[in-house]
Amino acid sequence: MNPARLLHELGDEIRVCTLCRLAQTRTYAVPGEGDASAKIMFVGEGPGQQEDESGRPFVGKSGQLLTRELGKIGVSREQIFITNIVKCRPPGNRVPLADEIEACNDYLMAQIALIDPKFIVPVGGPSLQTLVSKKLKITASRSKVFRKEGILFIPILHPSAALRAPGTMQMFLEDLQNLRDFLAREIEENEITDIESSLGITSENATQNAGSGANSHSQTGAAPSNSQASGEDDGGTLSLF
Ligand code: URA
């Protein structure tokens, strides 16, 4: 079966999913939408009210801002696939909980495997942390390029942050300009940020920490997590990565 068909069937499965508590409070699950053979995937945090009421991703205020600004850099919604780390709205738009992200993870990984994008744009911190590393901060990682399992990740600030804080709008717009530049040319090897070194992990202390179980990401200011700072993938629950 072709990827578009499989993606559609996956969407049908997501729409009736009851794997976590978010199923009890949602109106509609929001599987995601767009081109099944897109080169670029955008992955946000989770549906908000308008998304929950319509079953479509990024259609509320922040989604409209993202769509408008993407249009200005020559990227249309039809060209991309856009989804979220959790497919159902967390009540009151709270940040999704770890077990909710985990429950939805197989869906996201299956979408990525079917679409096989060249680029993934994590939109906001929770998406960056789910897809690239729990220890990365969006403020320090935005507009950088990371590589994991052959996919290039270019995180951007979440448009809802841009709408909340005027100073952040400029940073969000800068992220989109940088994204346009990255998409328009070949990305050189030396532009790709090594995930471990951006966490302050050297191969030497990674080995030590693997032995001691100590966390080694203090330079990021990130909260300690229970994953090993061993220099291995710390995507935690992710099966694809
Ligand atoms: N914010 C998100 O992260 N995702 C949406 O779909 C809408 C708003």
Side-chain angles (χ1 to χ4, degrees), residues 47 78-79 115-116 147-148 152 160 162 176-177 202 218 225:
E78 290 70 36
Q79 283 175 277
I115 295 163
D116 190 21
R147 183 169 50 210
K148 210 168 171 183
L152 297 173
S160 67
L176 291 179
Q177 289 304 318
T202 64
S218 53
S225 81

Side-chain angles (χ1 to χ4, degrees), residues 30 43-49 51 56-60 62-63 82-86 123 158-160:
V30 184
V43 182
E45 183 175 317
Q49 186 179 351
E51 290 79 15
R56 296 187 56 212
F58 282 98
V59 291
S62 62
I82 188 161
T83 186
N84 287 295
I85 53 172
V86 296
V123 182
H158 198 287
S160 67

Side-chain angles (χ1 to χ4, degrees), residues 112-124:
I112 294 172
L114 287 170
I115 295 163
D116 190 21
K118 180 171 181 191
F119 301 98
I120 294 181
V121 179
V123 182

Side-chain angles (χ1 to χ4, degrees), residues 69-107:
E69 293 306 323
L70 282 177
K72 290 186 193 165
I73 63 161
V75 175
S76 74
R77 288 278 293 245
E78 290 70 36
Q79 283 175 277
I80 62 173
F81 190 88
I82 188 161
T83 186
N84 287 295
I85 53 172
V86 296
K87 314 302 190 198
C88 298
R89 182 190 185 202
N93 295 347
R94 64 160 168 74
V95 177
L97 304 177
D99 65 327
E100 294 160 356
I101 296 172
E102 167 128 28
C104 229
N105 189 58
D106 283 353
Y107 295 134

Side-chain angles (χ1 to χ4, degrees), residues 42-46 51 58-70 77 82 84 121-125 127 138 155-166 168-173 175-176:
F42 284 71
V43 182
E45 183 175 317
E51 290 79 15
F58 282 98
V59 291
K61 253 187 157 187
S62 62
Q64 289 167 27
L65 171 63
L66 180 64
T67 303
R68 190 168 60 244
E69 293 306 323
L70 282 177
R77 288 278 293 245
I82 188 161
N84 287 295
V121 179
V123 182
S127 174
I138 190 66
I156 63 171
L157 284 184
H158 198 287
S160 67
L163 289 171
R164 268 197 309 269
T168 316
M169 177 65 84
Q170 193 49 40
M171 292 157 78
F172 170 72
L173 297 177
D175 285 349
L176 291 179

